[in-house]
Amino acid sequence: MEPLEPLTVQGSSIRGLNHVFTGKMQQNRNAMSAKAESLGANVQNGVSGTTDYLVIGENVGATKLNAAKAKGTKVITEAEYEQMIG
């Protein structure tokens, strides 16, 4: 028996995009990651050349911010991310 594929939303605005969550979030970061994955996004641990969005909370480290700027990754706040996913 094959494992079940995660349920995804076909019309999701983040489907197929790569996200990194960093900083102190208002919501639980694990729950945010799980929701993003259920909407078809890929959640990464660190910023790379394939990262589309760095979603930041409070107290973000300079390393990830600098990496995002160097690689052209869009940096958005937790509130902006929530608006994006509806």
Side-chain angles (χ1 to χ4, degrees):
M1 181 176 209
E2 293 183 36
L4 295 175
E5 289 294 316
L7 189 61
T8 60
V9 176
Q10 295 298 323
S12 169
S13 63
I14 64 171
R15 181 179 172 84
L17 298 177
N18 298 313
H19 291 73
V20 174
F21 297 95
T22 192
K24 184 177 186 314
M25 302 289 184
Q26 296 294 318
Q27 302 175 57
N28 178 286
R29 193 178 324 170
N30 290 335
M32 290 178 72
S33 294
K35 183 173 182 180
E37 289 175 345
S38 76
L39 293 172
N42 302 307
V43 178
Q44 302 172 317
N45 292 321
V47 177
S48 72
T50 64
T51 305
D52 296 296
Y53 289 97
L54 176 63
V55 183
I56 60 170
E58 297 175 20
N59 303 322
V60 177
T63 302
K64 285 188 180 168
L65 282 175
N66 290 337
K69 288 178 187 175
K71 295 175 185 350
T73 299
K74 184 162 174 101
V75 179
I76 61 173
T77 65
E78 180 180 0
E80 290 170 324
Y81 171 76
E82 286 299 319
Q83 287 180 339
M84 183 189 318
I85 65 170

